[in-house]
């Protein structure tokens, strides 16, 4: 094995024997204590920080590398898993079978709910006294694609039952992402759970901030985290997600952990995903191991994060994989039967001799959600000329379609570097038009609609109307302002600039007034280039935005019909800018939104240019003509791409709310002024 040395193995085996002899099947009391400005697990009276992994494979390695806990998704084989964990000195967060609405369970059916509760009762009675047990996990991502809030009543009933039967262990439930609605439900309906568990990938670094923003002040743990998710990365025009290589993954695992789990005093630890291997989009996306049990560079990182020591022998490091001289983000098209060069660049930190192997697969079509089981595509042999070389040739398959080329580079010590590149085989050059369009879409040189604000007084009523009041509990975001219409105090044009002003004055039960201008039915557009030049207000508590919503909501209420955020900024995070899109499949309520963030100095001192290019194939976002955001049309359903209908502008300055007010509102910032030099729309040319 790569990391386990003889001395470690010997000590571990002796330790196992001693534990096995001493096992007396008594529970170990586990509680949460509030101390040192945060929370700590106390297990048998001693502090216990979870250094865990999801999965039950290679538990001996996890122990040797500094880990102390595993997490399961069900009680299947729980007896053996708990026994094995105990022999190794590990604990277990044991998953309980709680059915999800997306799998057909009806939480409005009392009989189904009662039967489920009784089944869980038997599981708890069977394992409650095991000395390896740490916590019970009630279901997995029950908030994924659900609509019935009664699921949270059922979760609380399960938690109450567990505490009655087992006073010695913690109880939690695992949520997909972090969003206000679910946390509000948990606060209201689930008082019996001891802590919350969240599962995030690309957004891990912002978890402490997100947890605070939804008002959760209790302890939490992260029960799934890992690489950038397949829903969070760039996709090719044929809807293949571009996977990070093993070295890119190692870098983001380390940086995201250190920014969140490793620093937040309210976090009780985590379970990295996945301590094993599985097919999910690809055979290498989420697993820290190959099917043969080889370890990639992420395992090195986990050993460092858990033990603060790097392994003596490090995994190979991959820097690039090219097909026909192109990387994955170049969207590689090849012709049937033709031969192309392929090259992977890998080095070994220890100078070990490297062995290379290649594998060609069809692009996976058995795509599931929430980690449900997927079938691995069958390998296509005989297409790589010399499978043992880092530089060789690939003969493209004869059949048109989507493929993915994988490479594995091993060091002889059970360590491996992995990378893959998706490509598309086509004899018809026109099939590449979607990719080519990224460079050929053109826009009119002159605006087809604009407001230059070269007049005095109220905004032009032929272009702008107002949203008025504080509907939907502060516009759905718990905002603290009341939007007024046609008031020179809150929206005034002069000296070539529109000024939207937020004032500290009570109206409609809110402590502040402001304005929200909308171009609905006065400026509605399908595709185009949308520009606004603006200077942002400064001060904790404000939340200016330039954005777009659908005019007719063809696919239903938000988020089904989409949202395009050209600019968002919150005053407590000065100079940090956000561009996003929201859809039914990708939105902040389920933590899957497509978004980009960048820092630009002086956004409250000078005017900057904010722009979105919206075409049938993509939406790209720019700040001062620098691209920072891109989302592709996956050509699936409206859930992924509702952006085929007309949208209109919104210009507003919100105060407070779930995001803008997460650190409170500084009343010394008023009057607070958002200045807009112009807004322009350029037509997408045929």
């Amino acid at each position: 094995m790569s990391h386990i040395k003889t001395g470690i193995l010997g000590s571990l085996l002796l330790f196992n024997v001693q534990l096995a002899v001493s096992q007396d099947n008594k529970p170990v009391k586990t509680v949460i204590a509030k101390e040192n400005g945060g929370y700590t697990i106390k297990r048998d009276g001693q502090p216990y920080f979870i250094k865990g992994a999801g999965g039950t494979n290679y538990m001996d390695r996890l122990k040797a590398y500094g880990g102390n806990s595993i997490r399961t998704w069900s009680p299947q084989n729980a007896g053996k898993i708990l026994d094995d964990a105990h022999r190794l000195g590990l604990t277990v967060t044991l998953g309980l079978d709680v059915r999800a609405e997306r799998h057909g369970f009806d939480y409005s059916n009392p009989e189904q709910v009662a039967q489920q509760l009784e089944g869980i009762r038997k599981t708890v009675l069977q394992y409650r006294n095991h000395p390896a047990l740490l916590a019970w996990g009630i279901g997995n991502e029950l908030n994924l694609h659900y609509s019935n809030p009664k699921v949270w009543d059922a979760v609380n009933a399960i938690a109450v039952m567990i505490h009655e039967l087992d006073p010695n262990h913690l109880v939690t439930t695992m949520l997909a992402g972090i969003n206000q609605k679910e946390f509000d439900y948990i606060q209201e309906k689930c008082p019996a759970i001891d802590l919350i568990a969240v599962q995030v990938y690309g957004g891990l670094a912002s978890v402490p901030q997100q947890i605070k923003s939804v008002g959760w002040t209790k302890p939490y743990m992260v029960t799934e985290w890992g690489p950038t998710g397949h829903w969070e990365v760039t996709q090719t025009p044929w809807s293949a997600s571009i996977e990070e290589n093993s070295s890119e993954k190692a870098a983001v695992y380390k940086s995201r952990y250190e920014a969140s789990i490793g620093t937040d005093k309210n976090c009780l630890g985590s379970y990295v995903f996945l301590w094993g291997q599985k097919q999910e989009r690809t055979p290498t996306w989420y697993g820290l191991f190959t099917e043969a049990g080889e370890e990639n560079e992420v395992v090195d990182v986990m050993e460092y994060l858990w033990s603060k020591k790097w392994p003596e022998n490090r995994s190979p490091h991959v820097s690039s994989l090219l097909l026909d001289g192109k990387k994955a983000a170049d969207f590689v098209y090849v012709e049937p039967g033709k031969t192309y060069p392929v090259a992977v660049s890998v080095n070994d930190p220890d100078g070990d001799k490297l062995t290379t192997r290649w594998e060609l697969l069809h692009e996976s079509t058995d795509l599931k959600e929430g980690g449900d089981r997927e079938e691995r595509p069958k390998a296509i042999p005989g297409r790589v000329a010399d499978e043992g070389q880092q530089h060789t040739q690939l003969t493209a398959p004869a059949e048109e379609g989507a493929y993915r080329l994988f490479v594995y580079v091993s060091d002889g010590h059970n360590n491996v570097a992995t990378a893959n590149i998706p490509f598309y085989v086509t004899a018809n050059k026109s099939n590449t038009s979607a990719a080519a369009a990224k460079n050929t879409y053109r826009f009119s040189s002159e605006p087809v609609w604009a407001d230059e604000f070269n007049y005095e007084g109220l905004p032009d009523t032929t272009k702008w109307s107002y949203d008025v009041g504080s509907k939907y509990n502060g516009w759905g975001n718990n905002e603290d302002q009341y939007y007024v219409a046609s008031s020179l105090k809150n929206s005034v044009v002069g000296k070539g600039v529109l000024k939207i002003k937020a004032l500290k004055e009570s109206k409609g039960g809110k402590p502040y007034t402001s304005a929200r201008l909308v171009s609905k039915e006065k400026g509605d557009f399908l595709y185009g280039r949308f520009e606004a030049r603006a200077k942002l207000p400064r001060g904790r508590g404000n939340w200016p935005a330039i954005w777009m919503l659908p005019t007719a909501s063809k696919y239903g209420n938000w988020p089904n019909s989409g949202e395009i955020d050209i600019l968002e900024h919150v005053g407590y995070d000065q100079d940090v800018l956000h561009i996003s899109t929201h859809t039914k499949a990708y939105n902040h309520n389920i933590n899957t939104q497509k978004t980009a963030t960048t820092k630009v100095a002086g956004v409250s001192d000078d005017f900057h240019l904010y722009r979105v290019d919206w075409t049938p194939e993509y939406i790209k976002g720019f700040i001062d003509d620098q691209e920072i955001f891109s989302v592709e049309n996956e050509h699936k359903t409206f859930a992924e791409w509702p952006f085929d209908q007309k949208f209109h502008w919104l210009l507003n300055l919100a105060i407070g709310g779930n995001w803008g007010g997460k650190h409170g509102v500084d009343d010394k910032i008023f009057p607070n002024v958002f200045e807009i030099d112009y807004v322009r729309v350029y037509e997408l040319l045929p």
Side-chain angles (χ1 to χ4, degrees):
M1 290 185 181
S2 60
H3 307 319
I4 301 180
K5 305 304 176 187
T6 304
I8 298 176
L9 270 177
S11 300
L12 187 57
L13 289 172
L14 178 61
F15 180 65
N16 293 348
V17 171
Q18 290 172 338
L19 274 178
V21 170
S22 64
Q23 181 171 346
D24 55 4
N25 209 38
K26 290 184 179 178
V28 179
K29 181 73 174 179
T30 304
V31 298
I32 296 174
K34 190 170 185 178
E35 58 183 29
N36 300 323
Y39 293 92
T40 303
I41 292 175
K42 292 291 184 71
R43 190 168 186 266
D44 200 19
Q46 299 301 311
Y48 189 87
F49 187 78
I50 300 169
K51 302 175 182 179
T56 58
N57 295 307
Y58 314 116
M59 287 195 287
D60 55 341
R61 301 193 207 181
L62 183 142
K63 176 65 179 181
Y65 304 161
N68 62 10
S69 191
I70 62 167
R71 176 259 173 123
T72 75
W73 285 261
S74 81
Q76 186 176 6
N77 299 321
K80 182 179 186 308
I81 291 168
L82 287 161
D83 288 346
D84 289 347
H86 184 63
R87 282 193 293 271
L88 288 164
L90 302 174
T91 64
V92 180
T93 289
L94 190 65
L96 295 168
D97 281 325
V98 180
R99 296 281 305 281
E101 184 180 329
R102 65 191 177 89
H103 292 148
F105 195 88
D106 182 5
Y107 279 94
S108 293
N109 185 320
E111 185 176 337
Q112 284 188 21
V113 172
Q115 288 175 349
Q116 176 171 263
L117 183 65
E118 183 56 31
I120 294 170
R121 179 188 299 273
K122 293 176 181 177
T123 298
V124 173
L125 287 171
Q126 187 173 1
Y127 300 115
R128 62 181 175 174
N129 291 324
H130 201 287
L133 186 63
L134 177 72
W136 300 98
I138 301 176
N140 186 65
E141 299 188 346
L142 296 171
N143 62 319
L144 189 63
H145 302 312
Y146 86 113
S147 60
N148 190 348
K150 289 184 178 179
V151 64
W152 308 120
D153 298 322
V155 166
N156 194 63
I158 294 168
V160 169
M161 179 268 292
I162 292 173
H163 282 307
E164 290 173 352
L165 299 178
D166 176 12
N168 295 307
H169 300 107
L170 306 176
V171 181
T172 188
T173 187
M174 288 73 171
L175 297 181
I178 301 167
N179 61 80
Q180 191 70 51
K181 181 178 70 171
E182 271 66 64
F183 273 79
D184 286 347
Y185 278 136
I186 296 293
Q187 297 265 32
E188 175 190 352
K189 293 175 173 287
C190 300
I193 67 168
D194 299 301
L195 73 162
I196 199 67
V198 297
Q199 308 193 155
V200 292
Y201 286 84
L204 179 67
S206 64
V207 162
Q209 174 184 331
Q210 290 180 298
I211 286 282
K212 291 175 185 175
S213 73
V214 295
W216 185 263
T217 58
K218 301 175 186 177
Y220 71 95
M221 61 178 168
V222 183
T223 42
E224 275 188 33
W225 65 277
T228 309
H230 58 262
W231 63 93
E232 298 172 306
V233 297
T234 299
Q235 290 195 328
T236 68
W238 57 94
S239 301
S241 297
I242 297 177
E243 181 180 349
E244 298 160 327
N245 65 44
S246 56
S247 297
E248 291 170 330
K249 290 175 186 175
V252 299
Y253 273 68
K254 184 174 183 292
S255 64
R256 292 170 183 166
Y257 182 99
E258 290 176 335
S260 56
I261 296 164
T263 59
D264 190 355
K265 290 183 178 181
N266 287 354
C267 182
L268 302 180
S270 72
Y271 293 90
V272 66
F273 188 81
L274 170 72
W275 199 259
Q277 185 278 336
K278 69 177 296 193
Q279 167 70 34
E280 189 169 355
R281 283 325 190 258
T282 77
T284 56
W285 201 299
Y286 295 98
L288 277 62
F289 301 81
T290 65
E291 288 145 307
E294 298 164 296
E295 304 171 3
N296 69 39
E297 198 174 336
V298 177
V299 179
D300 294 358
V301 165
M302 294 314 305
E303 182 169 351
Y304 172 78
L305 293 173
W306 288 334
S307 70
K308 299 307 176 187
K309 295 186 297 184
W310 291 101
E312 292 181 22
N313 188 277
R314 301 280 291 272
S315 297
H317 183 90
V318 56
S319 54
S320 68
L321 172 60
L322 302 176
L323 169 55
D324 193 25
K326 302 179 180 70
K327 58 185 183 295
D330 294 326
F331 306 147
V332 183
Y333 289 86
V334 300
E335 296 184 45
K338 286 198 172 184
T339 299
Y340 297 88
V342 293
V344 62
S345 179
V346 181
N347 64 74
D348 189 83
D350 309 294
D352 295 326
K353 183 180 178 181
L354 298 177
T355 303
T356 304
R357 66 185 187 276
W358 299 85
E359 184 177 42
L360 179 63
L361 303 180
H362 287 280
E363 185 65 39
S364 178
T365 57
D366 185 29
L367 307 180
K368 303 292 177 56
E369 291 182 295
D372 295 349
R373 184 179 181 275
E374 298 178 7
E375 290 291 333
R376 190 189 199 276
K378 292 182 179 179
I380 305 167
R383 290 283 168 176
V384 178
D386 190 341
E387 297 191 6
Q389 298 298 314
Q390 292 187 22
H391 295 256
T392 183
Q393 291 184 317
L394 170 73
T395 301
E399 182 182 351
E400 181 170 314
Y403 299 83
R404 198 178 287 251
L405 180 66
F406 292 78
V407 64
Y408 302 81
V409 183
S410 305
D411 69 352
H413 298 279
N414 207 46
N415 299 312
V416 66
T418 65
N420 66 71
I421 187 166
F423 65 95
Y424 198 91
V425 176
T426 178
N428 185 352
K429 295 289 188 180
S430 65
N431 286 349
T432 67
S433 60
K438 297 179 187 303
N439 299 316
T440 59
Y441 277 127
R442 297 179 301 117
F443 302 91
S444 60
S445 59
E446 296 296 328
V448 295
W449 188 95
D451 197 336
E452 303 291 336
F453 302 116
N454 291 326
Y455 51 91
E456 303 287 328
L458 290 168
D460 185 348
T461 56
T462 67
K463 293 187 170 80
W464 303 105
S465 300
Y466 299 83
D467 279 335
V468 178
S470 185
K471 299 177 181 177
Y472 322 120
N473 189 27
W475 302 97
N477 301 305
N478 295 306
E479 296 163 24
D480 291 327
Q481 79 291 326
Y482 185 97
Y483 285 134
V484 300
S486 301
S487 169
L488 289 172
K489 290 196 302 182
N490 296 103
S491 56
V492 60
V493 178
K495 298 182 180 179
V497 173
L498 164 68
K499 293 184 178 182
I500 299 177
K501 298 181 180 181
L503 305 175
K504 186 177 181 350
E505 59 178 7
S506 298
K507 189 174 180 66
K510 295 291 182 177
Y512 312 102
T513 61
S514 186
R516 181 153 102 174
L517 279 66
V518 297
S519 70
K520 185 175 182 180
E521 297 177 348
K522 297 178 179 181
D524 308 286
F525 314 95
L526 174 62
Y527 310 132
R529 171 170 289 171
F530 302 84
E531 286 184 348
R533 187 170 180 267
K535 182 163 68 173
L536 309 186
R538 187 191 303 273
R540 175 168 52 85
N542 67 39
W543 183 1
I546 300 171
W547 51 305
M548 302 181 75
L549 283 176
T551 297
S553 294
K554 174 181 177 182
Y555 303 113
N557 292 333
W558 191 95
N560 290 23
S561 293
E563 174 182 328
I564 302 171
D565 297 325
I566 300 171
L567 159 75
E568 285 187 282
H569 179 265
V570 287
Y572 70 81
D573 203 7
Q574 183 63 38
D575 294 337
V576 177
L577 306 173
H578 307 264
I579 301 177
S580 311
T581 57
H582 297 277
T583 70
K584 182 179 181 180
Y586 305 120
N587 67 80
H588 68 261
N589 276 352
I590 55 175
N591 203 39
T592 58
Q593 74 274 18
K594 303 290 188 177
T595 192
T597 300
T598 192
K599 191 163 187 174
V600 177
V603 298
S604 299
D605 301 315
D606 302 297
F607 285 88
H608 291 264
L609 184 63
Y610 304 97
R611 167 183 138 210
V612 157
D613 289 356
W614 170 23
T615 78
E617 291 297 330
Y618 63 79
I619 295 172
K620 292 182 180 292
F622 303 79
I623 297 174
D624 294 329
D625 291 322
Q626 296 296 310
E627 180 181 332
I628 71 159
F629 173 81
S630 180
V631 61
E632 310 290 339
N633 185 349
E634 299 174 22
H635 295 285
K636 293 180 181 177
T637 69
F638 79 86
E640 295 80 19
W641 186 265
F643 305 113
D644 58 357
Q645 56 179 313
K646 288 186 175 182
F647 277 59
H648 60 270
W649 290 92
L650 295 95
L651 311 174
N652 66 274
L653 174 54
I655 300 296
N658 299 338
W659 189 13
K662 64 182 286 187
H663 293 296
V665 179
D666 180 3
D667 281 346
K668 295 190 294 292
I669 68 174
F670 299 99
N672 207 233
V673 183
F674 182 17
E675 298 182 65
I676 301 164
D677 184 21
Y678 60 76
V679 293
R680 298 171 181 167
V681 181
Y682 298 84
E683 184 180 16
L684 178 67
L685 298 176

